[in-house]
Amino acid sequence: MSKITEVSEKIKSAVTSVFKGNENIVDLILACVFSGGHVLLEDVPGTGKTVLAKALAKASGLAFSRVQCTPDLMPSDITGSSVWLPSSQKFEFRSGPVMASIVLVDELNRATPRTQSALLECMAEKQISVDGQIHKLNEPFFVIATQNPVESEGTFPLPEAQKDRFTMTLSIGYPDKAQEEAIITAQNSTVHPVEKIASVVTKEEILACMEEAVTIHVEETVLSYLLDLVNLTRKDQRIAAGVSPRGSLALYKACQAYAAVKGRSYVVPEDIKLLALPVFRNRIILNSDSVLKGYTSEQIIQELIDQQPLPAFKAHQ
């Protein structure tokens, strides 16, 4: 059993003890973590986004912080700021919540574009710049952002550059009847079940998994299939801007990590097919005619995935 598979199983077991929903979401989020990416959860309130993020942080033993976005939130409320100390007659940097390893940014689209942009440098370069000084962020550094897709009052659409920083955009969805029953019965306590989760792995194990993920084999035919899907988004007449090279790389790395989470040392075409939608869905821009005709990004991407045949593949030994 590989290190990633072992660590994933430990974390998933702890997380799913309190998160009663689509368990494959946990696998996808772990793939984002091990590939060094970030995830955006788009879903209605009350589906377990915060519980999932807290459970992941507690099980992984990593420092956790939360940012509740509001229109009056300032960039310095996220990054931190320099404070004047009269006693020493100098400025001292007071770190913000991004100095944790797992950062939950709740309702990201309620923050102004200026504040949203404070996350761009954090997510892309794993550092922040405050008053001309560069401060390195923790390793690992993982952002879980959430937004409510059905509410627009008091919100600010995410700029394309911001969307492109997220490896995947996922939706948890509603639980089925049995899962919802488990959610309700687990709440028969004055303490939320997520608070009882203990760390099951160490920070060093997480970093080792990230190093292992990049060694997962991707056969040439599988890579060609990935690039064919990317090129379809660039040629489709309904799409004004297709998937960028950053998106191609995000899918490649996510598939490597996902394969390892699933216990394989190689990527199969089905990994590409499964992850293409969550990786691409916020990375394309529809033209105005497509929007007027009622097309959605998810619909078009799924059509492109369905029309591209899976390549012949022989498992890597």
Side-chain angles (χ1 to χ4, degrees), residues 122-269:
C122 304
M123 296 169 67
E125 301 177 44
K126 308 295 176 68
Q127 66 180 35
I128 55 173
S129 301
V130 178
D131 296 331
Q133 298 294 317
I134 293 177
H135 303 271
K136 294 292 184 181
L137 301 179
N138 286 349
E139 284 288 348
F141 176 70
F142 180 60
V143 172
I144 302 181
T146 72
Q147 68 173 359
N148 178 357
V150 298
E151 188 175 14
S152 58
E153 186 175 350
T155 63
F156 303 87
L158 301 187
E160 300 308 319
Q162 182 75 70
K163 294 177 184 178
D164 207 30
R165 295 303 194 276
F166 290 103
T167 300
M168 297 185 202
T169 302
L170 302 172
S171 176
I172 296 174
Y174 289 115
D176 60 30
K177 184 177 180 180
Q179 292 168 342
E180 194 155 4
E181 181 180 352
I183 292 171
I184 294 171
T185 55
Q187 299 296 317
N188 292 330
S189 171
T190 55
V191 179
H192 195 285
V194 76
E195 302 300 332
K196 300 177 183 178
I197 293 181
S199 171
V200 294
V201 297
T202 64
K203 173 183 176 180
E204 288 69 30
E205 287 179 302
I206 299 288
L207 292 173
C209 288
M210 295 175 72
E211 291 180 3
E212 182 185 323
V214 299
T215 67
I216 299 301
H217 179 73
V218 182
E219 199 166 285
E220 187 176 343
T221 55
V222 177
L223 176 57
S224 179
Y225 172 60
L226 182 156
L227 295 174
D228 286 342
L229 288 177
V230 170
N231 284 321
L232 285 177
T233 70
R234 298 171 183 172
K235 295 176 181 177
D236 195 288
Q237 298 299 312
R238 297 166 294 181
I239 300 174
V243 174
S244 69
R246 182 187 283 133
S248 306
L249 183 59
L251 180 56
Y252 183 88
K253 288 185 173 182
C255 287
Q256 284 182 303
Y258 184 76
V261 168
K262 288 299 186 179
R264 285 182 272 106
S265 61
Y266 53 89
V267 175
V268 297

Side-chain angles (χ1 to χ4, degrees), residues 70-130:
T70 56
D72 60 349
L73 189 74
M74 299 295 291
S76 58
D77 295 328
I78 294 177
T79 61
S81 59
S82 296
V83 178
W84 175 255
L85 299 179
S87 58
S88 58
Q89 294 293 294
K90 65 178 183 181
F91 284 97
E92 181 179 282
F93 175 68
R94 297 289 174 86
S95 61
V98 292
M99 287 301 182
S101 285
I102 295 183
V103 182
L104 171 62
V105 184
D106 215 2
E107 297 188 278
L108 175 59
N109 57 337
R110 288 199 177 277
T112 62
R114 179 187 177 192
T115 302
Q116 290 178 18
S117 65
L119 285 171
L120 291 177
E121 182 182 14
C122 304
M123 296 169 67
E125 301 177 44
K126 308 295 176 68
Q127 66 180 35
I128 55 173
S129 301
V130 178

Side-chain angles (χ1 to χ4, degrees), residues 238 295 298-308:
R238 297 166 294 181
Y295 284 108
E298 292 84 353
Q299 178 185 352
I300 292 177
I301 292 170
Q302 192 60 58
E303 284 182 17
L304 297 179
I305 293 171
D306 292 341
Q307 78 180 48
Q308 184 68 27

